[in-house]
């Protein structure tokens, strides 16, 4: 990592932060890309120019939930430290509330998606069994359907 004025530069593949580390602010990508990985190393996303990362843990004061690495060409980003972000959100209470609520909705949506993924795995296991498992499968499908409806309505104002 190198700094150039208010920009921070990372070399290709360099770790920006790791899962379970303390947040130190948010980053706005100016050039290059950032690869986001789960705690167990699964690639979740690739972020590009003008995208923000590190915001959820910083806004909600939680440990980082993912690992961020510089993409194949490296990355240049602007760093907004926690103090400056918090002060901005305090100065504009309405915007701060919207940002916080959005992050909480995102976390809830992610949790619901994980629950659905787990249900789908259970359903697949039931399908591999005998006919007596069909009643259990029907119950799981009904539960998954209800969760999908809840996710769809949770993103509405």
């Amino acid at each position: 990592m190198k700094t150039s004025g208010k920009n921070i530069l990372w070399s290709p593949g360099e770790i920006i932060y790791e899962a379970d580390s303390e947040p130190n602010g948010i980053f706005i990508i100016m050039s290059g890309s950032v690869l986001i990985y789960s705690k167990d190393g699964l690639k979740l996303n690739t972020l590009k120019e003008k995208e923000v990362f590190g915001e959820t843990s910083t806004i909600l004061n939680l440990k980082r939930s993912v690992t961020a690495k510089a993409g194949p060409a490296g990355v240049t980003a602007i760093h907004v430290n926690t103090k400056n972000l918090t002060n901005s959100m305090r100065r504009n209470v309405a915007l701060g509330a919207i940002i916080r609520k959005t992050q909480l909705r995102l976390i809830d949506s992610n949790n619901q998606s994980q629950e659905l993924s787990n249900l789908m795995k259970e359903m697949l296991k039931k399908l591999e069994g005998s006919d007596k498992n069909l009643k259990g499968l029907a119950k799981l499908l009904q539960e998954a359907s209800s969760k999908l409806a809840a996710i769809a309505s949770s993103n509405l104002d």
Side-chain angles (χ1 to χ4, degrees), residues 85-148:
L85 180 64
T86 302
N87 287 341
S88 294
M89 289 174 63
R90 281 188 188 135
R91 280 193 303 274
N92 190 331
V93 176
L95 184 58
I98 291 167
I99 291 170
R100 184 171 176 74
K101 180 65 175 181
T102 300
Q103 294 307 309
L104 292 170
R105 283 183 180 175
L106 178 62
I107 287 173
D108 185 52
S109 179
N110 288 345
N111 289 339
Q112 290 180 46
S113 295
Q114 184 60 54
E115 287 177 23
L116 282 171
S117 174
N118 293 341
L119 280 172
M120 298 301 258
K121 287 177 187 175
E122 285 183 53
M123 286 184 245
L124 287 171
K125 285 180 186 175
K126 296 273 187 199
L127 284 173
E128 292 169 358
S130 65
D131 288 340
K132 67 181 180 180
N133 289 329
L134 289 179
K135 283 185 182 179
L137 178 59
K139 184 179 176 187
L140 289 171
L141 284 169
Q142 195 170 26
E143 189 177 340
S145 177
S146 296
K147 289 192 179 290
L148 282 170

Side-chain angles (χ1 to χ4, degrees), residues 8-149:
I8 302 175
L9 299 95
W10 289 274
S11 300
E14 188 175 356
I15 292 177
I16 298 167
Y17 58 74
E18 292 188 86
D20 293 323
S21 62
E22 294 294 328
N24 64 346
I26 66 170
F27 301 91
I28 304 165
I29 301 170
M30 301 311 293
S31 65
S33 62
V34 173
L35 308 175
I36 304 295
Y37 294 91
S38 67
K39 288 182 182 182
D40 59 359
L42 176 68
K43 183 179 171 188
L44 301 172
N45 205 349
T46 300
L47 305 177
K48 298 184 178 170
E49 194 173 310
K50 305 290 188 243
E51 291 191 83
V52 176
F53 66 101
E55 73 282 4
T56 300
S57 57
T58 302
I59 291 166
L60 300 177
N61 195 27
L62 301 170
K63 288 188 176 188
R64 303 282 193 197
S65 61
V66 296
T67 295
K69 290 183 182 180
V75 67
T76 301
I78 295 173
H79 178 248
V80 179
N81 68 40
T82 304
K83 183 179 177 183
N84 287 342
L85 180 64
T86 302
N87 287 341
S88 294
M89 289 174 63
R90 281 188 188 135
R91 280 193 303 274
N92 190 331
V93 176
L95 184 58
I98 291 167
I99 291 170
R100 184 171 176 74
K101 180 65 175 181
T102 300
Q103 294 307 309
L104 292 170
R105 283 183 180 175
L106 178 62
I107 287 173
D108 185 52
S109 179
N110 288 345
N111 289 339
Q112 290 180 46
S113 295
Q114 184 60 54
E115 287 177 23
L116 282 171
S117 174
N118 293 341
L119 280 172
M120 298 301 258
K121 287 177 187 175
E122 285 183 53
M123 286 184 245
L124 287 171
K125 285 180 186 175
K126 296 273 187 199
L127 284 173
E128 292 169 358
S130 65
D131 288 340
K132 67 181 180 180
N133 289 329
L134 289 179
K135 283 185 182 179
L137 178 59
K139 184 179 176 187
L140 289 171
L141 284 169
Q142 195 170 26
E143 189 177 340
S145 177
S146 296
K147 289 192 179 290
L148 282 170

